[in-house]
Amino acid sequence: MKTTKPDSTPETVKVIDSRELLGEHNQIQIQHGQSLYQLRITRENKLILTK
């Protein structure tokens, strides 16, 4: 997956498989600055990120 900067210079976007983040868990917490977020998998196998 690639994104394009406004000046049209290509930039690579890092891709991480959700299984690498979650492992065998259905939910993890992610610290971002002073905020704590929850990333979880729903019964429909979708990802939800909440603060």
Side-chain angles (χ1 to χ4, degrees):
M1 181 180 190
K2 290 190 176 189
T3 186
T4 305
K5 293 181 183 178
D7 65 355
S8 298
T9 304
E11 178 183 311
T12 302
V13 176
K14 184 175 182 176
V15 176
I16 300 174
D17 190 295
S18 62
R19 293 171 292 191
E20 289 182 47
L21 290 173
L22 294 160
E24 295 184 16
H25 303 279
N26 289 332
Q27 179 174 304
I28 61 170
Q29 293 185 336
I30 300 170
Q31 180 79 40
H32 181 69
Q34 298 297 317
S35 299
L36 190 61
Y37 294 82
Q38 306 239 343
L39 179 66
R40 66 182 177 90
I41 299 176
T42 67
R43 289 183 214 156
E44 293 83 27
N45 203 35
K46 296 182 180 186
L47 289 175
I48 303 287
L49 180 65
T50 54
K51 190 169 184 183

